[in-house]
Amino acid sequence: MESSETRPSEAVSSKTHTENLIATLPTREGWSTPLLLYNNCWIRPHCLNDAMAVQDKLKPSPDDIILAAHPKCGTTWLKALLFTVLNRSRYTFADHPLLTVGPHQLVPFVALLPGDLDRAEMLPSPRLLSTHLPLPLLPPAVSTLGCRIVCVCREPKDAFLSRWHFEKKLHQGISLGMDEAFAMFSEGCTPYDPFWDRYLEYWKESLARPREVMFLRYEEIMSDTPKVIRKLASFLGVPFTREEESGGVVEQVADLCGFTSLSSVDPNRADRVEVEHAGVKLVVNPSSLFRKGEVGDWVNHMSKDMAARMGQLVAEKFKGSGLTF
Ligand code: A3P
């Protein structure tokens, strides 16, 4: 999920430190707002303050669970799945919060949605948090304390396509053509990218600390959702009991959080929700988070040449890592 600014010139409300820093950062136009390169991560100006504040303000606790989802890779889906798995003894499926509230309201989005960093601080433990931030931008205590991290990535062509449609819907006046957007994506110049660095940072951490870091792909969740739900529950130390298994709870979680169910719930169908943070008006668009929810849709939109170029880039960037697409 991302939000768009309505007043770019006021994107960063706090003057002094941030403004001075911004002046020194490489910047790129092209996407709907300028992007700034902050510690090898392209970021929108209005997210920079919180991204910088995370190091000081987010006080990790060993029982924190952090969803580190790359944009357009299934953040919304994973938020719903994790929330439902973790809170399954508190709510019935007939009267579940996800039927009345969007996943992004249930799980704070650290360094993205206004006020969510503060909201995270007020949550009781164990906290479920989410972020698009790279691992190196999270406080080191997240790793040293052994917080559980669930990361999710997606086949890059589908991730690009999803991004492209999302940008067009979120920012109606965007002038960036698909070819130009693809070129920027391939350069690693898309919000929170380069995607290969993001994927690899979390991938390597999951290999080094498999008990604490779980690496998922959108495609595997899609191919066998109940299997991934069981995997998540075990990883988080709350495996399904025999009674839950025989009562079909796993399948109920999958259905509740599935594309058809989530995309038809009223709060997720809204086209325009305005929020204000530190004098900056932001527009969020819940319905733009649900497009098709399919694997391989790139084939309907991208040329063979684009696909071949992305294949080559992916082979180069992930060579020797064990991560393949
Ligand atoms: P598409 O644009 O390919 O349809 P994010 O939540 O990280 O922004 O990712 C958005 C992508 O996830 C979109 O992909 C969206 O349709 C898909 N998505 C959202 N909810 C989903 C769900 N419950 N199941 C499967 N896919 C989902």
Short mmCIF file of all heavy atoms in Angstrom, two decimals, residues 1-2 71-81 97-106 109 154 158 161-167 169-170 218 222 254-273 284-294 297:
data_model
loop_
_atom_site.label_atom_id
_atom_site.label_comp_id
_atom_site.label_asym_id
_atom_site.label_seq_id
_atom_site.Cartn_x
_atom_site.Cartn_y
_atom_site.Cartn_z
N MET A 1 0.85 -1.19 0.00
CA MET A 1 0.00 0.00 0.00
C MET A 1 0.88 1.23 0.00
O MET A 1 1.95 1.24 0.55
CB MET A 1 -0.87 -0.02 1.26
CG MET A 1 -1.59 1.27 1.51
SD MET A 1 -3.24 0.95 2.10
CE MET A 1 -3.73 2.54 2.68
N GLU A 2 0.37 2.25 -0.64
CA GLU A 2 1.05 3.52 -0.55
C GLU A 2 0.04 4.63 -0.53
O GLU A 2 -1.11 4.46 -0.88
CB GLU A 2 1.98 3.71 -1.74
CG GLU A 2 3.29 3.01 -1.52
CD GLU A 2 4.23 3.37 -2.61
OE1 GLU A 2 4.55 4.56 -2.72
OE2 GLU A 2 4.60 2.49 -3.36
N PRO A 71 6.36 -3.69 -1.80
CA PRO A 71 5.12 -3.17 -2.38
C PRO A 71 4.62 -4.01 -3.55
O PRO A 71 5.42 -4.48 -4.37
CB PRO A 71 5.51 -1.76 -2.86
CG PRO A 71 6.69 -1.38 -2.04
CD PRO A 71 7.41 -2.66 -1.73
N LYS A 72 3.33 -4.19 -3.59
CA LYS A 72 2.62 -4.91 -4.66
C LYS A 72 2.92 -6.41 -4.68
O LYS A 72 2.72 -7.10 -5.67
CB LYS A 72 2.90 -4.32 -6.06
CG LYS A 72 2.83 -2.83 -6.18
CD LYS A 72 1.77 -2.18 -5.34
CE LYS A 72 0.35 -2.50 -5.73
NZ LYS A 72 -0.60 -2.00 -4.67
N CYS A 73 3.43 -6.91 -3.56
CA CYS A 73 3.79 -8.33 -3.49
C CYS A 73 2.83 -9.12 -2.59
O CYS A 73 3.07 -10.30 -2.32
CB CYS A 73 5.22 -8.48 -2.97
SG CYS A 73 6.44 -7.83 -4.11
N GLY A 74 1.79 -8.46 -2.09
CA GLY A 74 0.84 -9.18 -1.24
C GLY A 74 0.78 -8.67 0.19
O GLY A 74 0.36 -9.39 1.09
N THR A 75 1.16 -7.42 0.40
CA THR A 75 1.14 -6.82 1.73
C THR A 75 -0.25 -6.93 2.37
O THR A 75 -0.38 -7.37 3.53
CB THR A 75 1.49 -5.31 1.64
OG1 THR A 75 2.55 -5.13 0.70
CG2 THR A 75 1.84 -4.74 2.98
N THR A 76 -1.25 -6.52 1.62
CA THR A 76 -2.62 -6.48 2.15
C THR A 76 -3.09 -7.89 2.53
O THR A 76 -3.68 -8.11 3.59
CB THR A 76 -3.55 -5.87 1.08
OG1 THR A 76 -2.93 -4.70 0.55
CG2 THR A 76 -4.91 -5.53 1.64
N TRP A 77 -2.81 -8.82 1.66
CA TRP A 77 -3.19 -10.22 1.87
C TRP A 77 -2.52 -10.77 3.13
O TRP A 77 -3.16 -11.37 4.00
CB TRP A 77 -2.76 -11.00 0.64
CG TRP A 77 -3.30 -12.37 0.48
CD1 TRP A 77 -4.28 -12.98 1.22
CD2 TRP A 77 -2.90 -13.32 -0.53
NE1 TRP A 77 -4.52 -14.25 0.74
CE2 TRP A 77 -3.69 -14.47 -0.33
CE3 TRP A 77 -1.98 -13.30 -1.56
CZ2 TRP A 77 -3.56 -15.60 -1.15
CZ3 TRP A 77 -1.85 -14.41 -2.37
CH2 TRP A 77 -2.63 -15.56 -2.17
N LEU A 78 -1.21 -10.56 3.22
CA LEU A 78 -0.46 -11.07 4.38
C LEU A 78 -0.89 -10.41 5.68
O LEU A 78 -0.91 -11.04 6.73
CB LEU A 78 1.04 -10.85 4.16
CG LEU A 78 1.89 -12.07 3.81
CD1 LEU A 78 1.88 -13.09 4.95
CD2 LEU A 78 1.40 -12.76 2.56
N LYS A 79 -1.24 -9.13 5.62
CA LYS A 79 -1.73 -8.46 6.83
C LYS A 79 -2.98 -9.19 7.32
O LYS A 79 -3.13 -9.47 8.50
CB LYS A 79 -2.08 -7.00 6.55
CG LYS A 79 -0.91 -6.06 6.55
CD LYS A 79 -1.39 -4.61 6.57
CE LYS A 79 -0.22 -3.66 6.58
NZ LYS A 79 -0.57 -2.29 6.94
N ALA A 80 -3.87 -9.46 6.38
CA ALA A 80 -5.12 -10.13 6.75
C ALA A 80 -4.83 -11.53 7.30
O ALA A 80 -5.37 -11.93 8.35
CB ALA A 80 -6.04 -10.21 5.53
N LEU A 81 -3.97 -12.27 6.62
CA LEU A 81 -3.66 -13.65 7.06
C LEU A 81 -3.02 -13.65 8.44
O LEU A 81 -3.42 -14.42 9.32
CB LEU A 81 -2.72 -14.33 6.05
CG LEU A 81 -3.36 -14.75 4.71
CD1 LEU A 81 -2.27 -15.20 3.73
CD2 LEU A 81 -4.38 -15.87 4.91
N PRO A 97 -13.34 -8.77 12.53
CA PRO A 97 -13.02 -7.37 12.19
C PRO A 97 -12.77 -7.16 10.70
O PRO A 97 -13.07 -6.09 10.17
CB PRO A 97 -11.74 -7.10 12.99
CG PRO A 97 -11.72 -8.08 14.08
CD PRO A 97 -12.51 -9.29 13.63
N LEU A 98 -12.24 -8.17 10.02
CA LEU A 98 -11.95 -7.99 8.58
C LEU A 98 -13.21 -7.80 7.74
O LEU A 98 -13.12 -7.41 6.58
CB LEU A 98 -11.16 -9.18 8.05
CG LEU A 98 -9.65 -9.14 8.29
CD1 LEU A 98 -9.02 -10.47 7.90
CD2 LEU A 98 -8.99 -7.99 7.52
N LEU A 99 -14.36 -8.07 8.34
CA LEU A 99 -15.60 -7.86 7.59
C LEU A 99 -16.06 -6.41 7.64
O LEU A 99 -16.92 -5.98 6.88
CB LEU A 99 -16.72 -8.78 8.14
CG LEU A 99 -16.42 -10.28 8.04
CD1 LEU A 99 -17.50 -11.09 8.74
CD2 LEU A 99 -16.28 -10.70 6.58
N THR A 100 -15.44 -5.65 8.56
CA THR A 100 -15.86 -4.25 8.67
C THR A 100 -14.70 -3.24 8.58
O THR A 100 -14.94 -2.04 8.44
CB THR A 100 -16.58 -4.01 10.02
OG1 THR A 100 -15.77 -4.56 11.05
CG2 THR A 100 -17.96 -4.64 10.04
N VAL A 101 -13.48 -3.74 8.67
CA VAL A 101 -12.32 -2.83 8.69
C VAL A 101 -11.27 -3.36 7.72
O VAL A 101 -11.06 -4.57 7.63
CB VAL A 101 -11.71 -2.79 10.12
CG1 VAL A 101 -10.52 -1.87 10.17
CG2 VAL A 101 -12.73 -2.37 11.15
N GLY A 102 -10.59 -2.47 7.02
CA GLY A 102 -9.55 -2.89 6.07
C GLY A 102 -8.31 -3.41 6.79
O GLY A 102 -8.01 -2.97 7.90
N PRO A 103 -7.57 -4.33 6.16
CA PRO A 103 -6.36 -4.89 6.79
C PRO A 103 -5.36 -3.82 7.22
O PRO A 103 -4.66 -3.98 8.22
CB PRO A 103 -5.75 -5.77 5.69
CG PRO A 103 -6.88 -6.09 4.78
CD PRO A 103 -7.83 -4.94 4.85
N HIS A 104 -5.30 -2.71 6.48
CA HIS A 104 -4.32 -1.68 6.82
C HIS A 104 -4.71 -0.89 8.06
O HIS A 104 -3.87 -0.22 8.66
CB HIS A 104 -4.09 -0.75 5.62
CG HIS A 104 -3.46 -1.50 4.49
ND1 HIS A 104 -2.13 -1.83 4.45
CD2 HIS A 104 -4.01 -2.02 3.36
CE1 HIS A 104 -1.87 -2.51 3.35
NE2 HIS A 104 -2.99 -2.64 2.67
N GLN A 105 -5.98 -0.96 8.44
CA GLN A 105 -6.38 -0.32 9.70
C GLN A 105 -6.11 -1.25 10.88
O GLN A 105 -5.99 -0.80 12.01
CB GLN A 105 -7.86 0.05 9.66
CG GLN A 105 -8.11 1.29 8.82
CD GLN A 105 -9.55 1.33 8.35
OE1 GLN A 105 -9.94 0.67 7.40
NE2 GLN A 105 -10.34 2.11 9.04
N LEU A 106 -6.02 -2.53 10.61
CA LEU A 106 -5.81 -3.49 11.70
C LEU A 106 -4.34 -3.67 12.03
O LEU A 106 -3.99 -4.05 13.14
CB LEU A 106 -6.42 -4.85 11.33
CG LEU A 106 -7.95 -4.88 11.21
CD1 LEU A 106 -8.42 -6.23 10.71
CD2 LEU A 106 -8.59 -4.56 12.56
N PHE A 109 1.20 0.47 9.69
CA PHE A 109 2.14 0.47 8.56
C PHE A 109 3.28 1.42 8.91
O PHE A 109 3.21 2.62 8.66
CB PHE A 109 1.43 0.97 7.31
CG PHE A 109 1.78 0.22 6.08
CD1 PHE A 109 0.83 -0.05 5.12
CD2 PHE A 109 3.07 -0.24 5.89
CE1 PHE A 109 1.14 -0.75 3.97
CE2 PHE A 109 3.40 -0.95 4.75
CZ PHE A 109 2.43 -1.21 3.79
N ARG A 154 7.58 -11.12 -4.80
CA ARG A 154 6.73 -11.59 -5.90
C ARG A 154 7.55 -11.63 -7.18
O ARG A 154 8.52 -10.86 -7.33
CB ARG A 154 5.56 -10.61 -6.05
CG ARG A 154 4.49 -11.04 -7.02
CD ARG A 154 3.35 -10.04 -7.01
NE ARG A 154 2.21 -10.53 -7.77
CZ ARG A 154 1.07 -9.86 -7.94
NH1 ARG A 154 0.93 -8.66 -7.39
NH2 ARG A 154 0.08 -10.38 -8.65
N ASP A 158 5.26 -9.60 -12.55
CA ASP A 158 3.93 -9.38 -11.97
C ASP A 158 3.95 -8.23 -10.97
O ASP A 158 3.00 -7.45 -10.87
CB ASP A 158 3.42 -10.65 -11.26
CG ASP A 158 2.73 -11.61 -12.23
OD1 ASP A 158 2.40 -11.19 -13.35
OD2 ASP A 158 2.52 -12.78 -11.85
N LEU A 161 3.91 -5.05 -12.99
CA LEU A 161 2.60 -4.81 -13.59
C LEU A 161 1.61 -4.30 -12.55
O LEU A 161 0.84 -3.36 -12.80
CB LEU A 161 2.08 -6.11 -14.21
CG LEU A 161 0.84 -5.89 -15.03
CD1 LEU A 161 1.18 -5.26 -16.35
CD2 LEU A 161 0.10 -7.20 -15.21
N SER A 162 1.66 -4.91 -11.38
CA SER A 162 0.76 -4.50 -10.30
C SER A 162 1.07 -3.06 -9.90
O SER A 162 0.17 -2.24 -9.70
CB SER A 162 0.94 -5.45 -9.11
OG SER A 162 0.05 -5.12 -8.09
N ARG A 163 2.32 -2.74 -9.83
CA ARG A 163 2.76 -1.37 -9.48
C ARG A 163 2.27 -0.37 -10.52
O ARG A 163 1.78 0.69 -10.21
CB ARG A 163 4.30 -1.37 -9.39
CG ARG A 163 4.98 -0.08 -9.66
CD ARG A 163 4.86 0.92 -8.56
NE ARG A 163 5.50 0.44 -7.33
CZ ARG A 163 5.39 1.08 -6.16
NH1 ARG A 163 4.70 2.19 -6.07
NH2 ARG A 163 5.97 0.61 -5.09
N TRP A 164 2.40 -0.75 -11.76
CA TRP A 164 2.04 0.13 -12.85
C TRP A 164 0.54 0.48 -12.80
O TRP A 164 0.12 1.63 -12.87
CB TRP A 164 2.45 -0.53 -14.17
CG TRP A 164 1.87 0.09 -15.39
CD1 TRP A 164 1.04 -0.50 -16.29
CD2 TRP A 164 2.08 1.43 -15.83
NE1 TRP A 164 0.71 0.40 -17.27
CE2 TRP A 164 1.34 1.59 -17.00
CE3 TRP A 164 2.81 2.49 -15.34
CZ2 TRP A 164 1.29 2.77 -17.69
CZ3 TRP A 164 2.77 3.69 -16.03
CH2 TRP A 164 2.03 3.82 -17.20
N HIS A 165 -0.28 -0.55 -12.65
CA HIS A 165 -1.72 -0.33 -12.56
C HIS A 165 -2.08 0.48 -11.32
O HIS A 165 -2.95 1.35 -11.36
CB HIS A 165 -2.47 -1.67 -12.54
CG HIS A 165 -2.56 -2.30 -13.89
ND1 HIS A 165 -3.37 -1.80 -14.89
CD2 HIS A 165 -1.93 -3.35 -14.43
CE1 HIS A 165 -3.24 -2.54 -15.98
NE2 HIS A 165 -2.36 -3.48 -15.72
N PHE A 166 -1.40 0.17 -10.23
CA PHE A 166 -1.67 0.87 -8.97
C PHE A 166 -1.37 2.36 -9.10
O PHE A 166 -2.15 3.21 -8.71
CB PHE A 166 -0.80 0.23 -7.88
CG PHE A 166 -0.91 0.88 -6.53
CD1 PHE A 166 -2.03 0.68 -5.74
CD2 PHE A 166 0.12 1.66 -6.03
CE1 PHE A 166 -2.12 1.27 -4.48
CE2 PHE A 166 0.04 2.24 -4.78
CZ PHE A 166 -1.09 2.05 -4.00
N GLU A 167 -0.23 2.66 -9.69
CA GLU A 167 0.16 4.08 -9.85
C GLU A 167 -0.85 4.81 -10.71
O GLU A 167 -1.22 5.94 -10.44
CB GLU A 167 1.54 4.19 -10.50
CG GLU A 167 2.68 3.75 -9.63
CD GLU A 167 3.08 4.78 -8.58
OE1 GLU A 167 2.94 5.99 -8.82
OE2 GLU A 167 3.53 4.35 -7.50
N LYS A 169 -3.97 4.14 -11.12
CA LYS A 169 -5.25 4.32 -10.44
C LYS A 169 -5.13 5.35 -9.31
O LYS A 169 -5.99 6.18 -9.12
CB LYS A 169 -5.72 2.97 -9.89
CG LYS A 169 -7.10 3.06 -9.32
CD LYS A 169 -7.88 1.76 -9.40
CE LYS A 169 -9.32 2.06 -8.95
NZ LYS A 169 -10.00 0.93 -8.43
N LEU A 170 -4.02 5.27 -8.61
CA LEU A 170 -3.83 6.15 -7.45
C LEU A 170 -3.58 7.59 -7.88
O LEU A 170 -4.04 8.53 -7.25
CB LEU A 170 -2.66 5.64 -6.62
CG LEU A 170 -2.47 6.23 -5.24
CD1 LEU A 170 -3.64 5.88 -4.35
CD2 LEU A 170 -1.19 5.69 -4.61
N TYR A 218 4.56 -14.46 -3.20
CA TYR A 218 3.14 -14.35 -3.52
C TYR A 218 2.65 -15.64 -4.19
O TYR A 218 1.60 -16.17 -3.87
CB TYR A 218 2.96 -13.15 -4.45
CG TYR A 218 1.55 -12.82 -4.86
CD1 TYR A 218 0.79 -11.92 -4.12
CD2 TYR A 218 0.99 -13.40 -5.99
CE1 TYR A 218 -0.51 -11.61 -4.52
CE2 TYR A 218 -0.30 -13.10 -6.38
CZ TYR A 218 -1.05 -12.20 -5.65
OH TYR A 218 -2.33 -11.89 -6.04
N MET A 222 -0.43 -18.27 -3.23
CA MET A 222 -1.52 -18.48 -4.16
C MET A 222 -1.68 -19.98 -4.49
O MET A 222 -2.80 -20.48 -4.59
CB MET A 222 -1.23 -17.69 -5.45
CG MET A 222 -2.37 -17.59 -6.42
SD MET A 222 -3.80 -16.85 -5.66
CE MET A 222 -3.57 -15.14 -6.06
N ALA A 254 -8.28 -19.05 5.16
CA ALA A 254 -7.97 -18.82 3.73
C ALA A 254 -9.13 -18.13 3.03
O ALA A 254 -8.93 -17.19 2.25
CB ALA A 254 -7.63 -20.15 3.06
N ASP A 255 -10.35 -18.57 3.31
CA ASP A 255 -11.52 -17.99 2.65
C ASP A 255 -11.74 -16.54 3.07
O ASP A 255 -11.97 -15.67 2.24
CB ASP A 255 -12.80 -18.79 2.98
CG ASP A 255 -12.79 -20.13 2.25
OD1 ASP A 255 -11.95 -20.30 1.35
OD2 ASP A 255 -13.60 -21.00 2.62
N LEU A 256 -11.66 -16.30 4.37
CA LEU A 256 -11.89 -14.94 4.88
C LEU A 256 -10.91 -13.95 4.26
O LEU A 256 -11.26 -12.81 3.94
CB LEU A 256 -11.75 -14.93 6.41
CG LEU A 256 -11.87 -13.56 7.08
CD1 LEU A 256 -13.32 -13.07 7.05
CD2 LEU A 256 -11.36 -13.60 8.51
N CYS A 257 -9.64 -14.39 4.11
CA CYS A 257 -8.59 -13.48 3.63
C CYS A 257 -8.40 -13.55 2.12
O CYS A 257 -7.53 -12.86 1.57
CB CYS A 257 -7.26 -13.81 4.31
SG CYS A 257 -7.36 -13.71 6.10
N GLY A 258 -9.16 -14.38 1.45
CA GLY A 258 -9.01 -14.54 0.00
C GLY A 258 -9.42 -13.28 -0.75
O GLY A 258 -10.12 -12.41 -0.21
N PHE A 259 -8.99 -13.20 -1.98
CA PHE A 259 -9.23 -12.00 -2.81
C PHE A 259 -10.72 -11.68 -2.91
O PHE A 259 -11.14 -10.53 -2.73
CB PHE A 259 -8.63 -12.23 -4.20
CG PHE A 259 -8.69 -11.02 -5.07
CD1 PHE A 259 -7.68 -10.08 -5.05
CD2 PHE A 259 -9.78 -10.80 -5.91
CE1 PHE A 259 -7.74 -8.94 -5.85
CE2 PHE A 259 -9.85 -9.67 -6.71
CZ PHE A 259 -8.82 -8.74 -6.68
N THR A 260 -11.55 -12.70 -3.19
CA THR A 260 -12.98 -12.46 -3.40
C THR A 260 -13.61 -11.88 -2.15
O THR A 260 -14.38 -10.91 -2.20
CB THR A 260 -13.68 -13.79 -3.76
OG1 THR A 260 -12.92 -14.40 -4.80
CG2 THR A 260 -15.10 -13.58 -4.20
N SER A 261 -13.28 -12.48 -1.02
CA SER A 261 -13.87 -12.02 0.23
C SER A 261 -13.39 -10.61 0.60
O SER A 261 -14.19 -9.70 0.81
CB SER A 261 -13.52 -13.05 1.32
OG SER A 261 -13.69 -12.50 2.58
N LEU A 262 -12.07 -10.43 0.63
CA LEU A 262 -11.54 -9.12 1.06
C LEU A 262 -11.96 -8.00 0.12
O LEU A 262 -12.32 -6.91 0.58
CB LEU A 262 -10.01 -9.16 1.09
CG LEU A 262 -9.29 -9.70 2.33
CD1 LEU A 262 -7.81 -9.32 2.26
CD2 LEU A 262 -9.90 -9.18 3.62
N SER A 263 -11.93 -8.25 -1.17
CA SER A 263 -12.20 -7.16 -2.11
C SER A 263 -13.68 -6.77 -2.14
O SER A 263 -14.03 -5.72 -2.68
CB SER A 263 -11.72 -7.53 -3.52
OG SER A 263 -12.41 -8.67 -3.96
N SER A 264 -14.53 -7.60 -1.55
CA SER A 264 -15.95 -7.24 -1.59
C SER A 264 -16.43 -6.57 -0.30
O SER A 264 -17.58 -6.16 -0.20
CB SER A 264 -16.79 -8.49 -1.89
OG SER A 264 -16.55 -9.44 -0.89
N VAL A 265 -15.55 -6.45 0.66
CA VAL A 265 -15.93 -5.81 1.92
C VAL A 265 -15.93 -4.29 1.76
O VAL A 265 -15.01 -3.73 1.15
CB VAL A 265 -14.92 -6.26 3.02
CG1 VAL A 265 -15.05 -5.41 4.26
CG2 VAL A 265 -15.13 -7.73 3.35
N ASP A 266 -16.96 -3.64 2.28
CA ASP A 266 -17.14 -2.19 2.06
C ASP A 266 -15.89 -1.32 2.25
O ASP A 266 -15.56 -0.54 1.36
CB ASP A 266 -18.28 -1.66 2.94
CG ASP A 266 -19.61 -1.87 2.23
OD1 ASP A 266 -19.58 -2.25 1.04
OD2 ASP A 266 -20.65 -1.68 2.88
N PRO A 267 -15.20 -1.41 3.40
CA PRO A 267 -14.05 -0.50 3.58
C PRO A 267 -12.97 -0.71 2.53
O PRO A 267 -12.17 0.20 2.26
CB PRO A 267 -13.52 -0.84 4.98
CG PRO A 267 -14.15 -2.13 5.34
CD PRO A 267 -15.42 -2.25 4.58
N ASN A 268 -12.93 -1.87 1.91
CA ASN A 268 -11.90 -2.13 0.88
C ASN A 268 -12.36 -1.72 -0.51
O ASN A 268 -11.61 -1.82 -1.47
CB ASN A 268 -11.52 -3.62 0.87
CG ASN A 268 -10.92 -4.05 2.19
OD1 ASN A 268 -10.28 -3.24 2.86
ND2 ASN A 268 -11.12 -5.30 2.58
N ARG A 269 -13.62 -1.28 -0.61
CA ARG A 269 -14.14 -0.88 -1.92
C ARG A 269 -14.09 0.64 -2.11
O ARG A 269 -14.34 1.14 -3.19
CB ARG A 269 -15.59 -1.35 -2.07
CG ARG A 269 -15.69 -2.86 -2.24
CD ARG A 269 -17.07 -3.37 -1.84
NE ARG A 269 -18.12 -2.69 -2.55
CZ ARG A 269 -18.79 -3.19 -3.59
NH1 ARG A 269 -18.48 -4.39 -4.02
NH2 ARG A 269 -19.73 -2.50 -4.18
N ALA A 270 -13.74 1.34 -1.02
CA ALA A 270 -13.72 2.81 -1.10
C ALA A 270 -12.66 3.28 -2.10
O ALA A 270 -11.59 2.69 -2.20
CB ALA A 270 -13.43 3.39 0.28
N ASP A 271 -12.99 4.35 -2.82
CA ASP A 271 -12.06 4.86 -3.84
C ASP A 271 -11.15 5.95 -3.32
O ASP A 271 -10.08 6.18 -3.85
CB ASP A 271 -12.85 5.42 -5.03
CG ASP A 271 -12.94 4.37 -6.12
OD1 ASP A 271 -12.20 3.37 -6.03
OD2 ASP A 271 -13.77 4.54 -7.02
N ARG A 272 -11.60 6.64 -2.29
CA ARG A 272 -10.82 7.80 -1.88
C ARG A 272 -11.04 8.07 -0.39
O ARG A 272 -12.15 8.36 0.03
CB ARG A 272 -11.31 9.00 -2.69
CG ARG A 272 -10.47 10.22 -2.54
CD ARG A 272 -11.06 11.37 -3.36
NE ARG A 272 -10.42 12.60 -2.96
CZ ARG A 272 -9.27 13.03 -3.45
NH1 ARG A 272 -8.66 12.35 -4.37
NH2 ARG A 272 -8.73 14.16 -3.02
N VAL A 273 -9.97 7.94 0.37
CA VAL A 273 -10.06 8.26 1.79
C VAL A 273 -8.96 9.27 2.07
O VAL A 273 -7.80 9.04 1.72
CB VAL A 273 -9.85 7.00 2.66
CG1 VAL A 273 -9.88 7.35 4.14
CG2 VAL A 273 -10.89 5.94 2.33
N VAL A 284 -5.61 8.07 0.39
CA VAL A 284 -5.40 6.63 0.24
C VAL A 284 -6.60 6.06 -0.49
O VAL A 284 -7.70 6.60 -0.41
CB VAL A 284 -5.16 5.91 1.59
CG1 VAL A 284 -3.83 6.28 2.18
CG2 VAL A 284 -6.27 6.21 2.58
N ASN A 285 -6.37 5.03 -1.21
CA ASN A 285 -7.36 4.50 -2.12
C ASN A 285 -7.46 2.98 -1.93
O ASN A 285 -6.82 2.21 -2.64
CB ASN A 285 -6.88 4.85 -3.54
CG ASN A 285 -7.86 4.41 -4.60
OD1 ASN A 285 -8.61 3.46 -4.40
ND2 ASN A 285 -7.83 5.09 -5.72
N PRO A 286 -8.25 2.53 -0.94
CA PRO A 286 -8.28 1.10 -0.61
C PRO A 286 -8.62 0.21 -1.80
O PRO A 286 -8.04 -0.86 -1.96
CB PRO A 286 -9.36 1.00 0.48
CG PRO A 286 -9.43 2.37 1.07
CD PRO A 286 -9.11 3.32 -0.03
N SER A 287 -9.53 0.66 -2.67
CA SER A 287 -9.94 -0.24 -3.75
C SER A 287 -8.79 -0.53 -4.73
O SER A 287 -8.77 -1.56 -5.39
CB SER A 287 -11.13 0.33 -4.51
OG SER A 287 -10.72 1.45 -5.26
N SER A 288 -7.81 0.40 -4.78
CA SER A 288 -6.70 0.18 -5.72
C SER A 288 -5.78 -0.94 -5.26
O SER A 288 -4.88 -1.37 -5.99
CB SER A 288 -5.90 1.47 -5.90
OG SER A 288 -5.30 1.82 -4.68
N LEU A 289 -6.00 -1.42 -4.03
CA LEU A 289 -5.15 -2.52 -3.53
C LEU A 289 -5.64 -3.87 -4.02
O LEU A 289 -5.01 -4.89 -3.78
CB LEU A 289 -5.16 -2.50 -2.00
CG LEU A 289 -4.54 -1.24 -1.40
CD1 LEU A 289 -4.88 -1.12 0.07
CD2 LEU A 289 -3.03 -1.26 -1.59
N PHE A 290 -6.80 -3.87 -4.64
CA PHE A 290 -7.37 -5.13 -5.13
C PHE A 290 -7.62 -5.00 -6.62
O PHE A 290 -8.54 -4.31 -7.04
CB PHE A 290 -8.69 -5.44 -4.41
CG PHE A 290 -8.53 -5.51 -2.91
CD1 PHE A 290 -8.70 -4.38 -2.12
CD2 PHE A 290 -8.19 -6.70 -2.29
CE1 PHE A 290 -8.53 -4.43 -0.75
CE2 PHE A 290 -8.02 -6.76 -0.92
CZ PHE A 290 -8.19 -5.62 -0.15
N ARG A 291 -6.77 -5.60 -7.42
CA ARG A 291 -6.94 -5.49 -8.87
C ARG A 291 -7.42 -6.84 -9.38
O ARG A 291 -8.60 -7.09 -9.46
CB ARG A 291 -5.62 -5.04 -9.52
CG ARG A 291 -5.74 -4.64 -10.97
CD ARG A 291 -4.38 -4.28 -11.54
NE ARG A 291 -3.45 -5.40 -11.54
CZ ARG A 291 -3.28 -6.24 -12.55
NH1 ARG A 291 -3.97 -6.07 -13.66
NH2 ARG A 291 -2.41 -7.23 -12.47
N LYS A 292 -6.48 -7.77 -9.66
CA LYS A 292 -6.86 -9.08 -10.16
C LYS A 292 -6.52 -10.20 -9.19
O LYS A 292 -7.19 -11.21 -9.11
CB LYS A 292 -6.14 -9.36 -11.48
CG LYS A 292 -6.81 -8.83 -12.70
CD LYS A 292 -6.17 -9.49 -13.91
CE LYS A 292 -6.90 -9.18 -15.19
NZ LYS A 292 -6.19 -9.77 -16.34
N GLY A 293 -5.38 -10.02 -8.52
CA GLY A 293 -4.96 -11.06 -7.58
C GLY A 293 -4.64 -12.37 -8.29
O GLY A 293 -5.09 -13.44 -7.86
N GLU A 294 -3.86 -12.29 -9.37
CA GLU A 294 -3.52 -13.50 -10.14
C GLU A 294 -2.02 -13.62 -10.32
O GLU A 294 -1.30 -12.63 -10.26
CB GLU A 294 -4.16 -13.43 -11.53
CG GLU A 294 -5.66 -13.60 -11.49
CD GLU A 294 -6.29 -13.43 -12.86
OE1 GLU A 294 -5.55 -13.24 -13.85
OE2 GLU A 294 -7.53 -13.48 -12.92
N ASP A 297 -0.17 -12.52 -14.70
CA ASP A 297 -0.96 -11.58 -15.52
C ASP A 297 -0.07 -10.73 -16.43
O ASP A 297 -0.55 -10.13 -17.38
CB ASP A 297 -1.82 -10.69 -14.59
CG ASP A 297 -2.81 -9.85 -15.37
OD1 ASP A 297 -3.38 -10.37 -16.36
OD2 ASP A 297 -3.00 -8.66 -15.03
#
